[in-house]
Coordinates of all heavy atoms in Angstrom, one line a residue:
D1 N -11.2 8.3 -9.0 CA -11.5 9.7 -9.2 C -10.5 10.6 -8.5 O -9.6 10.1 -7.8 CB -13.0 10.0 -8.7 CG -13.2 9.9 -7.2 OD1 -12.2 10.1 -6.5 OD2 -14.3 9.4 -6.8
A2 N -10.5 11.8 -8.9 CA -9.5 12.7 -8.4 C -9.4 12.9 -6.9 O -8.4 13.1 -6.3 CB -9.7 14.1 -9.1
V3 N -10.6 12.7 -6.2 CA -10.6 12.9 -4.7 C -9.9 11.8 -4.1 O -9.2 11.9 -3.1 CB -12.0 13.1 -4.3 CG1 -12.2 13.0 -2.7 CG2 -12.7 14.3 -4.8
H4 N -10.1 10.6 -4.6 CA -9.6 9.4 -4.0 C -8.2 8.9 -4.5 O -7.6 8.0 -3.9 CB -10.6 8.3 -4.0 CG -11.8 8.6 -3.3 ND1 -13.0 9.0 -3.9 CD2 -12.1 8.6 -2.0 CE1 -14.0 9.2 -3.1 NE2 -13.4 9.0 -1.9
A5 N -7.9 9.4 -5.7 CA -6.6 8.9 -6.3 C -5.4 9.2 -5.5 O -5.4 10.2 -4.8 CB -6.5 9.5 -7.7
T6 N -4.4 8.4 -5.6 CA -3.1 8.6 -5.0 C -2.0 8.4 -6.0 O -2.1 7.6 -6.9 CB -2.9 7.8 -3.7 OG1 -1.7 8.2 -3.0 CG2 -2.8 6.3 -4.1
H7 N -1.0 9.2 -5.9 CA 0.2 9.0 -6.8 C 0.9 7.8 -6.5 O 1.0 7.3 -5.4 CB 1.1 10.3 -6.7 CG 0.4 11.5 -7.2 ND1 0.2 11.8 -8.5 CD2 -0.1 12.5 -6.5 CE1 -0.4 13.0 -8.6 NE2 -0.6 13.5 -7.4
P8 N 1.5 7.2 -7.5 CA 2.4 6.0 -7.3 C 3.6 6.3 -6.5 O 4.0 7.6 -6.5 CB 2.7 5.5 -8.7 CG 2.6 6.7 -9.6 CD 1.5 7.5 -8.9
F9 N 4.3 5.4 -6.0 CA 5.6 5.6 -5.3 C 6.6 5.7 -6.4 O 6.8 4.7 -7.2 CB 5.9 4.4 -4.4 CG 4.9 4.2 -3.3 CD1 4.8 3.0 -2.6 CD2 4.1 5.2 -2.8 CE1 4.0 2.8 -1.5 CE2 3.2 5.0 -1.7 CZ 3.2 3.8 -1.1
E10 N 7.3 6.8 -6.5 CA 8.3 7.0 -7.5 C 9.7 6.6 -6.9 O 10.1 7.2 -6.0 CB 8.3 8.5 -8.0 CG 7.1 8.9 -8.7 CD 7.1 10.3 -9.2 OE1 8.2 10.6 -9.9 OE2 6.2 11.0 -9.0
L11 N 10.3 5.6 -7.5 CA 11.4 5.1 -7.0 C 12.7 5.9 -7.2 O 13.0 6.3 -8.3 CB 11.7 3.6 -7.5 CG 10.5 2.7 -7.3 CD1 10.8 1.3 -8.0 CD2 10.1 2.5 -5.8
A12 N 13.5 6.0 -6.1 CA 14.8 6.6 -6.2 C 15.9 5.6 -6.1 O 17.1 5.8 -6.3 CB 15.0 7.7 -5.2
A13 N 15.5 4.3 -5.8 CA 16.4 3.2 -5.6 C 16.1 2.1 -6.6 O 15.1 2.2 -7.3 CB 16.2 2.6 -4.1
A14 N 17.0 1.2 -6.6 CA 16.8 0.0 -7.5 C 15.4 -0.7 -7.2 O 15.0 -0.8 -6.0 CB 17.9 -1.0 -7.3
P15 N 14.6 -1.0 -8.2 CA 13.3 -1.6 -8.0 C 13.3 -2.8 -7.1 O 12.5 -2.9 -6.2 CB 12.8 -1.9 -9.4 CG 13.5 -0.9 -10.3 CD 14.8 -0.7 -9.6
A16 N 14.3 -3.6 -7.3 CA 14.3 -4.9 -6.4 C 14.6 -4.5 -5.0 O 14.0 -5.1 -4.1 CB 15.5 -5.8 -6.9
E17 N 15.4 -3.6 -4.7 CA 15.7 -3.1 -3.4 C 14.4 -2.5 -2.7 O 14.1 -2.8 -1.6 CB 16.8 -2.1 -3.3 CG 17.1 -1.6 -2.0 CD 18.1 -0.4 -2.0 OE1 18.7 -0.2 -3.0 OE2 18.3 0.2 -0.9
A18 N 13.8 -1.6 -3.5 CA 12.5 -1.0 -3.0 C 11.5 -2.0 -2.7 O 10.8 -1.9 -1.7 CB 12.0 0.0 -4.1
W19 N 11.3 -3.0 -3.6 CA 10.3 -4.0 -3.4 C 10.6 -4.9 -2.2 O 9.6 -5.2 -1.4 CB 10.2 -4.9 -4.7 CG 9.0 -5.8 -4.8 CD1 9.0 -7.1 -4.8 CD2 7.7 -5.3 -4.9 NE1 7.7 -7.6 -4.8 CE2 6.8 -6.4 -5.0 CE3 7.1 -4.1 -4.9 CZ2 5.5 -6.4 -5.1 CZ3 5.7 -4.0 -5.0 CH2 4.9 -5.1 -5.1
R20 N 11.8 -5.2 -2.0 CA 12.2 -6.0 -0.7 C 11.8 -5.2 0.6 O 11.2 -5.8 1.4 CB 13.6 -6.3 -0.7 CG 14.0 -7.6 -1.5 CD 15.5 -8.1 -1.2 NE 16.5 -7.0 -1.4 CZ 16.9 -6.8 -2.6 NH1 16.6 -7.5 -3.7 NH2 17.9 -5.8 -2.8
L21 N 12.2 -4.0 0.6 CA 11.9 -3.1 1.7 C 10.4 -3.0 1.9 O 9.9 -3.1 3.1 CB 12.6 -1.8 1.6 CG 12.4 -0.8 2.8 CD1 12.8 -1.4 4.2 CD2 13.1 0.5 2.6
L22 N 9.7 -2.7 0.9 CA 8.2 -2.5 0.9 C 7.6 -3.8 1.5 O 6.7 -3.7 2.4 CB 7.7 -2.2 -0.4 CG 6.1 -2.0 -0.4 CD1 5.7 -0.9 0.4 CD2 5.7 -1.9 -1.8
R23 N 7.9 -5.0 1.1 CA 7.4 -6.1 1.6 C 7.7 -6.4 3.1 O 6.9 -6.8 3.9 CB 7.8 -7.3 0.8 CG 7.1 -7.3 -0.6 CD 7.4 -8.4 -1.5 NE 7.0 -9.7 -0.8 CZ 7.2 -10.9 -1.4 NH1 7.6 -11.0 -2.6 NH2 6.9 -12.0 -0.8
S24 N 8.9 -6.0 3.4 CA 9.3 -6.0 4.9 C 8.4 -5.1 5.7 O 7.9 -5.4 6.8 CB 10.7 -5.7 5.0 OG 11.1 -5.6 6.3
L25 N 8.2 -3.8 5.2 CA 7.4 -2.9 5.9 C 5.9 -3.4 6.1 O 5.3 -3.2 7.1 CB 7.4 -1.5 5.3 CG 8.8 -0.8 5.3 CD1 8.7 0.4 4.4 CD2 9.2 -0.4 6.7
L26 N 5.4 -4.0 5.0 CA 4.0 -4.5 5.0 C 4.0 -5.5 6.2 O 2.9 -5.7 6.8 CB 3.7 -5.1 3.7 CG 3.3 -4.2 2.6 CD1 3.1 -4.9 1.3 CD2 2.1 -3.3 3.0
A27 N 4.9 -6.4 6.3 CA 4.9 -7.5 7.3 C 4.8 -6.9 8.7 O 4.3 -7.5 9.6 CB 6.1 -8.4 7.1
D28 N 5.3 -5.7 8.9 CA 5.3 -5.0 10.2 C 4.0 -4.2 10.5 O 3.8 -3.7 11.6 CB 6.5 -4.1 10.3 CG 7.8 -4.9 10.4 OD1 7.7 -6.2 10.7 OD2 8.9 -4.4 10.1
L29 N 3.2 -4.0 9.5 CA 2.0 -3.2 9.7 C 1.0 -4.0 10.5 O 0.7 -5.2 10.3 CB 1.3 -2.9 8.4 CG 1.9 -1.8 7.5 CD1 1.0 -1.7 6.3 CD2 1.9 -0.5 8.3
P30 N 0.5 -3.4 11.6 CA -0.5 -4.1 12.5 C -1.7 -4.5 11.7 O -2.2 -3.8 10.8 CB -0.8 -3.0 13.5 CG -0.3 -1.7 13.0 CD 0.6 -2.0 11.9
R31 N -2.3 -5.7 12.0 CA -3.5 -6.2 11.5 C -3.5 -6.4 10.0 O -4.5 -6.1 9.4 CB -4.7 -5.4 12.0 CG -4.9 -5.3 13.5 CD -5.9 -4.4 13.9 NE -5.9 -3.0 13.4 CZ -5.0 -2.1 13.8 NH1 -4.2 -2.3 14.8 NH2 -5.0 -0.9 13.2
T32 N -2.3 -6.7 9.5 CA -2.2 -6.7 7.9 C -1.7 -8.2 7.6 O -0.8 -8.7 8.2 CB -1.1 -5.8 7.5 OG1 -1.6 -4.4 7.8 CG2 -1.0 -5.9 6.0
K33 N -2.5 -8.7 6.7 CA -2.2 -10.1 6.2 C -1.9 -10.2 4.8 O -2.8 -9.7 4.0 CB -3.4 -11.0 6.7 CG -3.3 -12.5 6.1 CD -4.4 -13.3 6.5 CE -5.5 -13.1 5.5 NZ -6.7 -14.0 5.6
L34 N -0.8 -10.7 4.4 CA -0.4 -10.8 2.9 C -1.3 -12.0 2.4 O -1.3 -13.0 2.9 CB 1.0 -11.2 2.7 CG 2.0 -10.0 3.0 CD1 3.4 -10.4 2.7 CD2 1.6 -8.8 2.2
V35 N -2.0 -11.7 1.4 CA -2.8 -12.7 0.7 C -2.2 -13.2 -0.6 O -2.1 -14.4 -0.8 CB -4.2 -12.0 0.2 CG1 -5.1 -13.0 -0.6 CG2 -5.0 -11.5 1.4
T36 N -1.6 -12.4 -1.3 CA -0.8 -12.7 -2.5 C 0.5 -11.9 -2.6 O 0.4 -10.7 -2.3 CB -1.6 -12.4 -3.8 OG1 -2.9 -13.0 -3.7 CG2 -0.9 -12.9 -5.0
A37 N 1.6 -12.6 -2.8 CA 2.8 -11.8 -2.9 C 3.7 -12.5 -4.0 O 4.0 -13.7 -3.9 CB 3.6 -11.8 -1.6
T38 N 4.0 -11.7 -5.1 CA 4.8 -12.2 -6.1 C 6.0 -11.3 -6.4 O 6.1 -10.4 -5.6 CB 4.0 -12.3 -7.5 OG1 3.7 -11.0 -8.0 CG2 2.7 -13.1 -7.3
S39 N 6.7 -11.5 -7.4 CA 7.9 -10.6 -7.6 C 7.6 -9.2 -8.0 O 8.4 -8.3 -8.0 CB 8.8 -11.3 -8.6 OG 8.1 -11.3 -10.0
D40 N 6.2 -9.0 -8.4 CA 5.9 -7.6 -8.7 C 4.5 -7.2 -8.3 O 4.0 -6.1 -8.7 CB 6.0 -7.4 -10.3 CG 5.0 -8.3 -11.0 OD1 4.3 -9.1 -10.5 OD2 4.9 -8.0 -12.3
Y41 N 3.8 -8.0 -7.5 CA 2.5 -7.7 -7.0 C 2.3 -8.2 -5.6 O 2.8 -9.2 -5.2 CB 1.5 -8.4 -8.0 CG 0.1 -8.2 -7.5 CD1 -0.7 -7.0 -7.7 CD2 -0.6 -9.2 -6.8 CE1 -2.0 -6.9 -7.3 CE2 -1.9 -9.1 -6.3 CZ -2.6 -7.9 -6.6 OH -3.9 -7.8 -6.2
V42 N 1.6 -7.3 -4.8 CA 1.2 -7.7 -3.4 C -0.3 -7.3 -3.2 O -0.7 -6.2 -3.6 CB 2.0 -7.0 -2.4 CG1 1.5 -7.1 -1.0 CG2 3.4 -7.5 -2.4
H43 N -1.0 -8.2 -2.7 CA -2.3 -8.0 -2.2 C -2.4 -8.3 -0.7 O -2.0 -9.5 -0.3 CB -3.4 -8.8 -2.9 CG -4.7 -8.7 -2.3 ND1 -5.6 -9.8 -2.2 CD2 -5.4 -7.6 -1.8 CE1 -6.8 -9.4 -1.7 NE2 -6.6 -8.1 -1.4
A44 N -2.7 -7.3 0.1 CA -2.8 -7.5 1.5 C -4.1 -7.1 2.0 O -4.8 -6.2 1.5 CB -1.7 -6.7 2.3
E45 N -4.6 -7.8 3.1 CA -5.9 -7.4 3.8 C -5.5 -6.7 5.1 O -4.7 -7.3 5.9 CB -6.7 -8.6 4.1 CG -7.2 -9.3 2.8 CD -7.9 -10.6 3.1 OE1 -7.8 -11.2 4.2 OE2 -8.7 -11.0 2.2
C46 N -6.1 -5.6 5.3 CA -5.8 -4.8 6.5 C -7.1 -4.7 7.3 O -8.1 -4.1 6.7 CB -5.3 -3.4 6.1 SG -3.8 -3.4 5.0
S47 N -7.1 -5.1 8.5 CA -8.3 -5.0 9.4 C -8.3 -3.8 10.3 O -7.3 -3.5 10.9 CB -8.4 -6.3 10.2 OG -8.5 -7.4 9.3
S48 N -9.5 -3.2 10.5 CA -9.5 -2.1 11.4 C -9.4 -2.5 12.8 O -9.9 -3.6 13.1 CB -10.9 -1.2 11.1 OG -12.0 -2.0 11.4
A49 N -9.0 -1.6 13.6 CA -8.7 -2.0 15.0 C -10.0 -2.2 15.8 O -10.1 -3.1 16.6 CB -7.9 -0.9 15.7
V50 N -11.1 -1.4 15.5 CA -12.3 -1.4 16.3 C -13.3 -2.4 15.9 O -13.6 -3.3 16.6 CB -12.9 0.0 16.4 CG1 -14.2 0.0 17.2 CG2 -11.9 1.0 16.9
F51 N -13.7 -2.4 14.6 CA -14.7 -3.3 14.1 C -14.3 -4.4 13.3 O -15.1 -5.3 12.9 CB -15.8 -2.5 13.3 CG -16.5 -1.4 14.2 CD1 -16.3 -0.1 14.0 CD2 -17.4 -1.9 15.2 CE1 -17.0 0.8 14.8 CE2 -18.1 -1.0 16.0 CZ -17.9 0.4 15.8
G52 N -13.0 -4.4 12.9 CA -12.5 -5.4 12.2 C -12.8 -5.4 10.7 O -12.7 -6.5 10.0
F53 N -13.2 -4.3 10.2 CA -13.5 -4.2 8.8 C -12.2 -4.4 8.0 O -11.1 -4.0 8.4 CB -14.0 -2.7 8.4 CG -15.4 -2.4 9.0 CD1 -15.6 -1.2 9.7 CD2 -16.4 -3.3 8.9 CE1 -16.7 -0.9 10.3 CE2 -17.7 -3.0 9.5 CZ -17.9 -1.7 10.2
V54 N -12.4 -5.0 6.8 CA -11.3 -5.4 6.0 C -11.1 -4.5 4.9 O -12.1 -4.2 4.1 CB -11.3 -6.9 5.5 CG1 -10.2 -7.2 4.6 CG2 -11.4 -7.8 6.7
D55 N -10.0 -3.9 4.7 CA -9.6 -3.1 3.6 C -8.6 -3.8 2.7 O -7.9 -4.7 3.2 CB -8.9 -1.7 4.0 CG -9.9 -0.9 4.8 OD1 -11.1 -1.0 4.7 OD2 -9.4 -0.1 5.6
D56 N -8.6 -3.6 1.4 CA -7.6 -4.2 0.5 C -6.5 -3.2 0.1 O -6.8 -2.1 -0.2 CB -8.3 -4.6 -0.8 CG -9.3 -5.8 -0.6 OD1 -8.9 -6.8 -0.1 OD2 -10.5 -5.6 -0.8
L57 N -5.4 -3.7 0.2 CA -4.2 -2.9 -0.2 C -3.5 -3.7 -1.3 O -3.1 -4.8 -1.1 CB -3.2 -2.7 1.0 CG -1.9 -2.1 0.8 CD1 -2.0 -0.6 0.2 CD2 -1.0 -2.1 2.0
E58 N -3.3 -3.0 -2.5 CA -2.6 -3.6 -3.6 C -1.5 -2.8 -4.0 O -1.6 -1.6 -4.1 CB -3.6 -3.8 -4.8 CG -4.7 -4.8 -4.4 CD -5.7 -5.0 -5.6 OE1 -6.5 -4.1 -5.8 OE2 -5.5 -6.0 -6.3
L59 N -0.4 -3.4 -4.4 CA 0.8 -2.7 -4.8 C 1.4 -3.5 -6.0 O 1.4 -4.7 -6.0 CB 1.9 -2.7 -3.7 CG 1.4 -2.0 -2.4 CD1 1.9 -2.7 -1.2 CD2 1.8 -0.6 -2.5
H60 N 1.7 -2.7 -7.0 CA 2.2 -3.4 -8.2 C 3.5 -2.6 -8.7 O 3.6 -1.4 -9.0 CB 1.2 -3.2 -9.4 CG 1.6 -3.8 -10.7 ND1 1.5 -3.2 -11.8 CD2 2.2 -5.0 -10.9 CE1 2.0 -4.0 -12.8 NE2 2.4 -5.1 -12.3
L61 N 4.6 -3.4 -8.7 CA 5.9 -2.9 -9.0 C 5.9 -2.8 -10.6 O 5.8 -3.8 -11.3 CB 7.0 -3.9 -8.5 CG 8.4 -3.5 -8.9 CD1 8.9 -2.1 -8.4 CD2 9.4 -4.6 -8.5
R62 N 6.2 -1.6 -11.0 CA 6.4 -1.4 -12.5 C 7.8 -0.9 -12.7 O 8.1 0.3 -12.8 CB 5.4 -0.4 -13.0 CG 3.9 -0.9 -12.7 CD 2.9 0.0 -13.2 NE 1.5 -0.6 -12.9 CZ 0.5 0.1 -12.9 NH1 0.4 1.4 -13.4 NH2 -0.7 -0.5 -12.6
A63 N 8.8 -1.8 -12.6 CA 10.2 -1.6 -12.7 C 10.6 -0.7 -13.8 O 11.4 0.2 -13.7 CB 10.9 -2.9 -12.6
S64 N 10.1 -1.0 -15.0 CA 10.5 -0.3 -16.2 C 10.0 1.2 -16.2 O 10.7 2.0 -16.9 CB 9.9 -1.0 -17.4 OG 8.5 -1.0 -17.5
N65 N 9.1 1.5 -15.3 CA 8.6 2.8 -15.2 C 9.2 3.5 -14.0 O 8.9 4.7 -13.7 CB 7.0 2.9 -15.1 CG 6.3 2.5 -16.4 OD1 6.8 1.6 -17.0 ND2 5.2 3.0 -16.7
G66 N 9.8 2.7 -13.1 CA 10.4 3.2 -11.9 C 9.4 3.6 -10.8 O 9.6 4.6 -10.0
I67 N 8.2 2.9 -10.8 CA 7.2 3.2 -9.9 C 6.6 2.0 -9.2 O 6.8 0.8 -9.7 CB 6.0 4.0 -10.5 CG1 5.3 3.2 -11.5 CG2 6.5 5.4 -11.0 CD1 4.0 3.8 -12.0
I68 N 5.9 2.2 -8.1 CA 5.1 1.1 -7.5 C 3.7 1.7 -7.5 O 3.4 2.7 -6.8 CB 5.5 0.8 -6.1 CG1 6.9 0.2 -6.2 CG2 4.5 -0.2 -5.5 CD1 7.5 -0.2 -4.8
A69 N 2.7 1.2 -8.2 CA 1.4 1.6 -8.3 C 0.7 1.2 -7.0 O 1.0 0.0 -6.5 CB 0.6 1.0 -9.5
V70 N -0.2 2.0 -6.5 CA -0.8 1.7 -5.1 C -2.3 1.9 -5.2 O -2.8 2.7 -5.8 CB -0.3 2.8 -4.1 CG1 -0.9 2.4 -2.7 CG2 1.2 2.9 -4.1
R71 N -3.0 0.9 -4.5 CA -4.4 1.0 -4.4 C -4.8 0.5 -2.9 O -4.3 -0.6 -2.5 CB -5.1 0.1 -5.4 CG -6.7 0.1 -5.2 CD -7.3 -0.9 -6.1 NE -8.7 -1.1 -5.8 CZ -9.2 -1.9 -4.9 NH1 -8.4 -2.7 -4.3 NH2 -10.5 -2.0 -4.7
S72 N -5.5 1.3 -2.2 CA -6.0 0.9 -0.9 C -7.4 1.4 -0.8 O -7.7 2.6 -0.9 CB -5.1 1.6 0.2 OG -5.5 1.1 1.4
A73 N -8.3 0.4 -0.5 CA -9.7 0.8 -0.5 C -10.5 -0.1 0.5 O -10.1 -1.3 0.7 CB -10.3 0.6 -1.9
A74 N -11.6 0.5 1.0 CA -12.5 -0.3 1.8 C -13.3 -1.2 1.0 O -13.7 -0.9 -0.2 CB -13.4 0.7 2.6
R75 N -13.5 -2.4 1.5 CA -14.3 -3.4 0.8 C -15.8 -3.0 0.8 O -16.5 -3.3 -0.1 CB -14.2 -4.8 1.4 CG -12.9 -5.5 1.0 CD -13.0 -6.9 1.4 NE -11.7 -7.5 1.0 CZ -11.4 -8.7 1.5 NH1 -12.2 -9.4 2.2 NH2 -10.2 -9.2 1.2
R76 N -16.2 -2.5 1.9 CA -17.6 -2.2 2.1 C -17.8 -0.7 2.4 O -17.0 -0.1 3.1 CB -18.2 -3.0 3.3 CG -18.1 -4.5 3.0 CD -18.4 -5.3 4.2 NE -19.7 -4.8 4.8 CZ -20.4 -5.5 5.7 NH1 -20.0 -6.7 6.1 NH2 -21.5 -5.1 6.2
G77 N -18.8 -0.1 1.8 CA -19.2 1.3 2.1 C -18.2 2.2 1.3 O -17.4 1.8 0.5
Y78 N -18.4 3.5 1.6 CA -17.7 4.5 0.8 C -16.7 5.4 1.7 O -16.0 6.1 1.3 CB -18.6 5.4 0.1 CG -19.3 4.7 -1.0 CD1 -20.7 4.2 -0.8 CD2 -18.7 4.4 -2.2 CE1 -21.3 3.6 -1.8 CE2 -19.4 3.7 -3.2 CZ -20.7 3.3 -3.0 OH -21.3 2.6 -4.0
R79 N -17.1 5.3 3.0 CA -16.3 6.2 3.9 C -15.5 5.3 4.9 O -15.9 4.4 5.5 CB -17.3 7.1 4.7 CG -18.1 7.9 3.9 CD -18.8 9.0 4.6 NE -19.5 9.8 3.5 CZ -20.6 10.3 3.6 NH1 -21.3 10.1 4.7 NH2 -21.2 11.0 2.6
D80 N -14.2 5.8 5.0 CA -13.3 5.1 5.8 C -12.6 6.0 6.8 O -11.6 5.6 7.4 CB -12.3 4.3 5.0 CG -11.3 5.2 4.2 OD1 -11.5 6.4 4.3 OD2 -10.4 4.6 3.6
L81 N -13.0 7.2 6.9 CA -12.4 8.2 7.8 C -10.9 8.5 7.4 O -10.1 8.8 8.3 CB -12.6 7.8 9.3 CG -14.0 7.6 9.7 CD1 -14.1 7.1 11.2 CD2 -14.9 8.9 9.5
G82 N -10.6 8.3 6.2 CA -9.3 8.6 5.7 C -8.3 7.5 6.1 O -7.0 7.7 5.9
V83 N -8.7 6.4 6.6 CA -7.7 5.3 7.0 C -6.9 4.8 5.9 O -5.7 4.6 6.0 CB -8.5 4.1 7.7 CG1 -7.6 2.9 8.0 CG2 -9.2 4.6 9.0
N84 N -7.5 4.5 4.7 CA -6.7 4.0 3.6 C -5.7 5.0 3.1 O -4.5 4.6 2.8 CB -7.6 3.6 2.5 CG -8.3 2.2 2.8 OD1 -7.7 1.2 2.8 ND2 -9.6 2.3 3.1
R85 N -6.0 6.3 3.0 CA -5.0 7.2 2.6 C -3.9 7.3 3.6 O -2.8 7.4 3.2 CB -5.6 8.6 2.4 CG -4.6 9.6 1.9 CD -5.2 10.9 1.4 NE -6.2 10.7 0.3 CZ -5.8 10.5 -1.0 NH1 -4.5 10.5 -1.3 NH2 -6.7 10.4 -1.9
K86 N -4.3 7.3 4.9 CA -3.2 7.4 5.9 C -2.3 6.2 5.8 O -1.0 6.4 6.1 CB -3.8 7.4 7.3 CG -4.5 8.7 7.7 CD -5.2 8.7 9.0 CE -6.1 9.9 9.2 NZ -7.0 9.8 10.3
R87 N -2.8 5.0 5.5 CA -1.9 3.9 5.4 C -0.9 4.0 4.3 O 0.2 3.7 4.4 CB -2.9 2.6 5.2 CG -2.1 1.3 5.0 CD -3.0 0.1 4.8 NE -4.0 0.0 5.9 CZ -5.2 0.1 5.8 NH1 -5.8 0.4 4.6 NH2 -6.1 -0.1 6.8
V88 N -1.5 4.5 3.2 CA -0.6 4.6 1.9 C 0.4 5.8 2.2 O 1.6 5.5 1.9 CB -1.5 5.0 0.7 CG1 -0.6 5.5 -0.4 CG2 -2.3 3.9 0.3
E89 N 0.0 6.8 2.9 CA 1.0 7.9 3.1 C 2.0 7.5 4.2 O 3.2 7.9 4.1 CB 0.3 9.2 3.5 CG -0.6 9.7 2.3 CD 0.2 9.9 1.1 OE1 1.4 10.3 1.0 OE2 -0.4 9.6 -0.1
K90 N 1.6 6.6 5.1 CA 2.6 6.1 6.1 C 3.6 5.2 5.4 O 4.8 5.4 5.6 CB 1.8 5.2 7.1 CG 2.8 4.6 8.2 CD 2.1 3.8 9.1 CE 3.1 3.2 10.2 NZ 2.5 2.5 11.3
L91 N 3.2 4.4 4.5 CA 4.1 3.6 3.7 C 5.1 4.5 2.8 O 6.3 4.3 2.8 CB 3.4 2.6 2.8 CG 2.9 1.3 3.4 CD1 2.0 0.6 2.5 CD2 4.0 0.5 4.0
R92 N 4.5 5.5 2.2 CA 5.3 6.5 1.5 C 6.3 7.1 2.3 O 7.5 7.2 2.0 CB 4.3 7.5 0.8 CG 5.0 8.4 -0.2 CD 4.1 9.5 -0.7 NE 2.8 9.1 -1.2 CZ 2.6 8.6 -2.4 NH1 3.5 8.6 -3.3 NH2 1.4 8.3 -2.7
S93 N 5.9 7.6 3.5 CA 6.9 8.2 4.4 C 7.9 7.3 4.8 O 9.1 7.7 4.9 CB 6.1 8.8 5.6 OG 7.0 9.3 6.5
L94 N 7.6 6.1 5.2 CA 8.6 5.1 5.6 C 9.7 4.8 4.6 O 10.8 4.8 4.7 CB 7.9 3.8 6.1 CG 7.2 3.9 7.4 CD1 6.3 2.6 7.6 CD2 8.1 4.1 8.5
L95 N 9.2 4.6 3.3 CA 10.1 4.4 2.2 C 10.9 5.7 1.9 O 12.1 5.5 1.5 CB 9.2 4.0 0.9 CG 8.6 2.6 1.0 CD1 7.6 2.5 -0.1 CD2 9.6 1.5 0.9
A96 N 10.3 6.8 2.0 CA 11.1 8.1 1.6 C 12.1 8.3 2.7 O 13.3 8.7 2.3 CB 10.1 9.3 1.6
T97 N 11.9 8.0 3.9 CA 13.0 8.3 5.0 C 14.1 7.3 4.8 O 15.2 7.5 5.3 CB 12.3 8.1 6.4 OG1 11.8 6.9 6.6 CG2 11.3 9.2 6.7
R98 N 13.9 6.2 4.1 CA 15.0 5.3 3.8 C 15.7 5.5 2.5 O 16.4 4.7 2.0 CB 14.4 3.8 4.0 CG 14.1 3.5 5.4 CD 13.2 2.3 5.5 NE 13.0 1.8 6.8 CZ 12.2 2.3 7.7 NH1 11.4 3.3 7.4 NH2 12.0 1.8 8.9
G99 N 15.3 6.6 1.9 CA 15.9 6.9 0.5 C 15.4 6.1 -0.7 O 16.1 6.1 -1.7
I100 N 14.3 5.4 -0.5 CA 13.8 4.6 -1.6 C 13.0 5.3 -2.6 O 12.9 5.0 -3.7 CB 13.0 3.4 -0.9 CG1 13.8 2.6 0.0 CG2 12.3 2.7 -2.0 CD1 15.0 1.8 -0.7
L101 N 12.3 6.4 -2.1 CA 11.5 7.2 -3.0 C 12.1 8.6 -3.3 O 12.9 9.2 -2.6 CB 10.1 7.4 -2.4 CG 9.3 6.2 -2.1 CD1 8.0 6.6 -1.5 CD2 9.2 5.2 -3.2
K102 N 11.6 9.2 -4.4 CA 12.0 10.5 -4.8 C 11.3 11.6 -4.0 O 10.3 11.3 -3.5 CB 11.7 10.7 -6.3 CG 12.6 9.9 -7.2 CD 12.2 10.2 -8.7 CE 13.0 9.4 -9.6 NZ 12.7 9.6 -11.0

């Protein structure tokens, strides 16, 4: 829905370069475990610091469209105090400061 939706990462760099950097940044996120990682898809589990709740983070490289689609959501419940949006926006900021995003 419009309240929870987030825009994809719009690439300013070569898709392969952006994807390599993104996977590197994910490896550095605290309490984040890669579950699936392919040449165009990543599924990671991110645990909260206090209670250990697990959120799912999914990224899909759509090279022909010049974007990386993003989904980050709590597995349980409906409220996450904005943690998932903050995670996505942190990744967006890290990629943008490196010239990877428009």
Side-chain angles (χ1 to χ4, degrees):
D1 63 34
V3 173
H4 296 102
T6 188
H7 294 286
F9 297 160
E10 294 184 49
L11 303 178
E17 177 188 353
W19 195 243
R20 274 192 304 276
L21 179 59
L22 178 64
R23 288 186 53 182
S24 173
L25 293 171
L26 285 174
D28 293 339
L29 284 181
R31 299 173 310 281
T32 299
K33 178 179 82 173
L34 288 181
V35 176
T36 305
T38 69
S39 62
D40 67 350
Y41 174 79
V42 167
H43 172 219
E45 294 176 341
C46 307
S47 301
S48 66
V50 178
F51 295 110
F53 295 130
V54 177
D55 297 335
D56 291 300
L57 174 63
E58 293 180 285
L59 301 146
H60 182 224
L61 175 64
R62 298 178 184 172
S64 63
N65 296 36
I67 64 168
I68 297 174
V70 183
R71 177 186 171 273
S72 186
R75 281 191 184 170
R76 297 171 52 166
Y78 295 101
R79 299 196 176 142
D80 67 355
L81 304 175
V83 170
N84 283 289
R85 181 165 303 280
K86 288 177 191 168
R87 180 180 302 115
V88 168
E89 295 309 320
K90 178 180 180 176
L91 283 171
R92 187 185 310 276
S93 175
L94 290 169
L95 290 167
T97 58
R98 288 164 174 82
I100 298 297
L101 302 183
K102 291 181 181 177

